[in-house]
Each structure stands twice: as C-alpha cells, then as structure tokens.
Amino acid sequence: MPNRITLHTIAEAANVSVATVSKALNDTGQLSAHTRRVVLNTAKELGYEKSKGAIALRHQSGLIGLVSADLEGRFSMPALIGAENTLGASNHAVLLTNSRGDPKLERAHIDQLAARGVDGLLILGGETDSRPPVKPNTALGIPIVYAYAPSNDPDDCSVTCDNTAAGAAAINHLIDRGCSRIAIISGPEHYLATKERIDGAMAALRKSGMRPAAPTRYGNWHESWGRTAARLLLDSGARFDGIYCLNDMLARGAIETLLARGLKVPQDVAVVGHDNWAVTATECQVPITSFDNNLQEIGRRAARLLLDSIRGNRHRGVMKIGCSLIVRESTLTKPR
Amino acid sequence: MPNRITLHTIAEAANVSVATVSKALNDTGQLSAHTRRVVLNTAKELGYEKSKGAIALRHQSGLIGLVSADLEGRFSMPALIGAENTLGASNHAVLLTNSRGDPKLERAHIDQLAARGVDGLLILGGETDSRPPVKPNTALGIPIVYAYAPSNDPDDCSVTCDNTAAGAAAINHLIDRGCSRIAIISGPEHYLATKERIDGAMAALRKSGMRPAAPTRYGNWHESWGRTAARLLLDSGARFDGIYCLNDMLARGAIETLLARGLKVPQDVAVVGHDNWAVTATECQVPITSFDNNLQEIGRRAARLLLDSIRGNRHRGVMKIGCSLIVRESTLTKPR
C-alpha cells in the first residue's frame, strides 16, 4: 500500500512548518523536545511511514541515561567523558545516575530514566566481569549498550577492554627487554580480568618456549600484597629478571620490596603493571610501565554503538578495545 | 486585590484533576514534566498567585544541570554522588556535562542545558580557588550554586570546604600527640587552599606559643616533592618531631624519606596529610592521618541550597563545610 501521508499533511495537522516536520522525522536541527514529540506523535497517529530507512517513529528526547555502578569514579569517569564527548557532538545530553553496584537501585534509576523518555541507556560497570542484562520489563525496549562490564547475554551489545591481549603484550614486552625468567603477581583469582590477563600471559610465555619463573601468586589488588608477594618470591629462592604485576598498585609494592632488598629496577628486575593510573604509576621512585585501558575510547565506542542502535541499527556481542602499552622507567633499559 | 483563581479554575482550564494542579503548583508527587508544565503555564495565563510563599510560576523540568570542571573526577565524583543523592530524593535528575576547565566549553554546556529547560545549575570546580561567576546572559536567570570552587561574586551562593580550620586542626592534633617542633611541607603558594591551610596552621602555632620548626617549604603537590622537601628539611639541620604536609602525596613522600633515613614514623616524627585519598593515605607502609574534605556533604549541601533557590529562597555567600580528621598510624603514638 503506497504511503499517502506527506510532510505537508503532518505539518498541517501538527500546526507547524514543513521544515519542522522534516527536522523532527529526520532527527536533525534544533527543535524543542516538546515540538519533536508533537510532530512524531502526529505522524504516528496519521499512520505515516518513512519511505526509506528503518527509523522507528518513537519520539526522541535527545537524552541518554547513563547508569554507573562505580562509586569511586576511577574507571567510570574517563568512560563517562568519552561517552559525553560523542553524545554531546550528536546533540544528545547525558542523564547521570549512580547505582553504587546495587541491582535494586539500578532498576529504580532505569525506571526513572525511562519515565523521562531517554532514547537509550548506557550501563557502565566498575570492572570487566560480565553482569546479568537489564530485565526486559525494566528496559521497556529502550536500546542499551553495556560498557566496561559486558552483559552476559550474547544478544546484547557490550564494549570492554581486551585483557587477554594485554596479558600477552606484557610478557612480550618483558621478553623484548631481555627478560628470560618472568614471575607473575596477581590480584584475586575470581576476577575475569585476572583470568584473561593470566591466560594471555601464559600463551605468550608458551609461544616463546618459556615457563613462568615461579607459580603465580594470587592475592588482592593492594600495594601491600605487591610488597608481600615480591618478598615471598625472593624468599622462595626463585630466580627471576622480570615481574608481570596485574595492576599498578601491585607493581608499586613489588618495586618497593625489590629496592629495599638492594635490587635495581629495571637493571636487575624489570616490572610491568596494568591500569596506567597516574598517581600510582608515575608518582613512585621508579615510574611504572603499564597498560592503559583506553576507557575514554570505550565510552566513545559504546556511545556510538548506542546512537546507532537508537537509529535502528542494533549491534550484538562484545566489542573489545585494545589496551595501550605505556613504557616508563621500570622496563626502560635491558636487565643485565 | 484578593486572589480569585482557585485550583478548580486551573484544573478545568488545563483539563486535569485538582490533585494534579496541587502537585504541579507545590512541586510534589509524580507528574510528567509535560503535565507539570501545562498546569504551571495555565496557572500563569490565568494570573493565579499563590496566597502564601514565593514560588515562582516557572515551569519545572525536574532537571538539574551539573557542570563539572574536573577531568579526573577525583574531587568532582564524590560531590556529584552527594548532589545526586539529594536531587534524586527530591525527584530531580542530573544532566551531567564536563567543561574540562575551559570557560568557552562551560558557556556552551550551560547554553545547551538552558535550552533543555533545566531548573537550576550546579557548577562544580576541581579546586577550592574562587572563580568568576557565570555571566548573566549565559545563565538567563536560572538559579546557580557553586560547589568546591566558590564564585568570586559575594552575591552568588557557593559551598566549599574550610581549609583554614583544617590547617589549625592539623597543628592542634600534632601538638595533642606530643609534638613541640612542627615543620610544614606545602604545595604551590598561589593556591587559595595553600594560603588558607597555612594561615590556619600559623594561627594555631601562635596560639600555643610556638613557631614553625623551619621555614615552610613550598613546591608542587607531588610525592617526589614530599621526598625532596623532607630531605632538605633533614639536611638543613632543623630539629622537628612533626610535619604538617598540605596533602597526602606530600605526606607519603616525606614518610618515605624519613624511613629511608632510619627515622620512625610516628615515634620520631609524626606526619599529617590532607585529602584522605584512599590510595595514597592507606596503601603506603605507614598509613597517613589526614583530613577528609567531605565532598559528598559539599555536593549534598549545594544541591539542597539549589533546590531551595529554585523554590524561590535564594541564598548568598560562601558556606564552608568542615574537613574531618581521620587518624591513622602516622600520628597514632606520641613521639618519644
């Protein structure tokens, strides 16, 4: 059945200009949310169907709801900045809520955001472990993209960092610097980030015909564990000339122990961390080579996928953004 | 002239219930932004005047624009969380933008927020130095409260922390712990936070009949300067049993130097920091006694003042929130 409703028909019915109708239907130009809604509702009531494309005749508020699970903001703020850059450039605004990792609070926030007519939801996690998807009766069909913490439903769209590749790159970098006996100091075993970084590291060691210089030491993510783990490694009699620490705080603690025992970093032992967190990686006596999670890029990419989804091009699966190696003094010269 | 327009008149004209009119006029209950606007506009057109109170008949969107100047989020995120707590509880939502400390970008963000009909603006700074107010032709009469970085117009409403009181409390705490020769390691001299903390410290020393154990060492805010400044202090031959460091990174650096020189903290030298920043204050070998800026409380208070202002009760001047002393090992036992 041919589409007989024209922009003129809608303009007359909504008592606006044809240009305004065009702007509202194509989601371009400067229109108030109210006018846009009136035009889209009128078009819908008249049974108007766009001849091309798949733009749903949902009224658009230009608002994106961002639900952050991260209280401290260490991981979420850079992703938020990246998302806001992208959304702002496409004339969207960010409604921010903080769920403090509480699923009930997350549901309540999403309810409120839906009531405000957000066009899409960006769900930002505080770690890379996957999470249950937002329930359909909470999301009400609003497009969603998950950032940093991916959804465990493969049908959802998520953006996170590539921890496996970072683990491999850490080992390869230490080998490039001349290390031949590499030990690993890790955080808690149950994190997906831990598992992936270790998997990547082990694969890289195997590929170079190496084995770890000592069994991987698992503990927490704190500097004090880095200090202790390095002491345990030294006391075990294991010989090593490189340590891959799974975050910068562990690296900082390990370096403190190495220096206190009279060893030189990187001449005797080279050390790599992860997170590229300015204060920890750069403020200590030997600045730490580290991996940047490119959180701003994760935020930007997630925002772009969300905008695409709002325009009707839904994406599926987990997109992984590479971590960048930032070389500092802790690996700057070859050991021995 | 008596007010002859009743809630019934407005309800009839706007085609809603009397209860809805009441909710809209009193800014209570669950109403869509659209309904609230329709009721308020109808009331305005009819010339309705509330018999009591000073509620302006502006339509309310339930949106608050938050403009943050702080890229890293270290200071802004806790204040944001505090503000969101308060605003969420009063049925407002936070539209977040990041100005990256760029005045032009700040103006552009405020323009966009105004175009979205925000009821008020919360302007969040990254430091306690005062800043120029938002220009009237940018703000368009929207109520504004400044948090952390106060406006330098005394007619504006600002909430920040009480650095002078913190400086005095730091000295008094060291004296309480038995210190009688206190040195000060500071960040850059030109920050207002520096000036106020030093002013407070000097006043407290005078009050106890003391003078600083050495001239105040000014530098930057980094750990490396804390290490260097402590070395310079020791090498100068000055005798001291307490150091007031103006932030935690300086304190951490100073403690590293003291330990490396064979001194005990706090037995030989007690050390106080400022900011209570978890990683720096708690992760090091001697956890640092520090002052918490109560940023969440600053955010909550600023949000409450803003809501008050939106309801017509405008506030003026700079409100100062006290910093809380958090005692840790670096001052836990009396020196000698």
Side-chain angles (χ1 to χ4, degrees), chain B residues 25 67 71 121 177 189 260 274 284 288 298 329:
Chain B
L25 293 179
V67 183
L71 189 70
L121 289 167
R177 296 294 167 168
E189 200 163 359
H274 188 110
C284 49
I288 303 165
I298 289 175
E329 276 169 64

Side-chain angles (χ1 to χ4, degrees), chain B residues 163-238:
Chain B
N163 280 309
T164 314
I171 297 298
N172 290 333
H173 175 67
L174 286 169
I175 293 172
D176 280 353
R177 296 294 167 168
C179 297
S180 58
R181 294 186 199 85
I182 301 170
I184 300 176
I185 297 177
S186 170
E189 200 163 359
H190 65 269
Y191 280 89
L192 187 65
T194 305
K195 193 194 165 314
E196 290 182 341
R197 286 176 204 161
I198 300 262
D199 283 354
M202 293 300 178
L205 284 170
R206 272 196 305 276
K207 221 170 165 179
S208 295
M210 291 185 194
R211 298 178 51 196
T216 301
R217 301 268 170 180
Y218 292 98
N220 56 40
W221 292 118
H222 297 288
E223 215 174 302
S224 54
W225 168 239
R227 280 194 288 267
T228 304
R231 208 176 54 234
L232 293 172
L233 266 175
L234 289 168
D235 292 347
S236 75

Side-chain angles (χ1 to χ4, degrees), chain A residues 85 100 222-223 252 283, chain B residues 85 100 222-223 252 283:
Chain A
N85 273 341
R100 296 162 191 77
H222 296 287
E223 216 174 302
R252 178 162 188 174
E283 287 286 313
Chain B
N85 274 340
R100 296 161 191 78
H222 297 288
E223 215 174 302
R252 179 162 187 176
E283 287 286 313

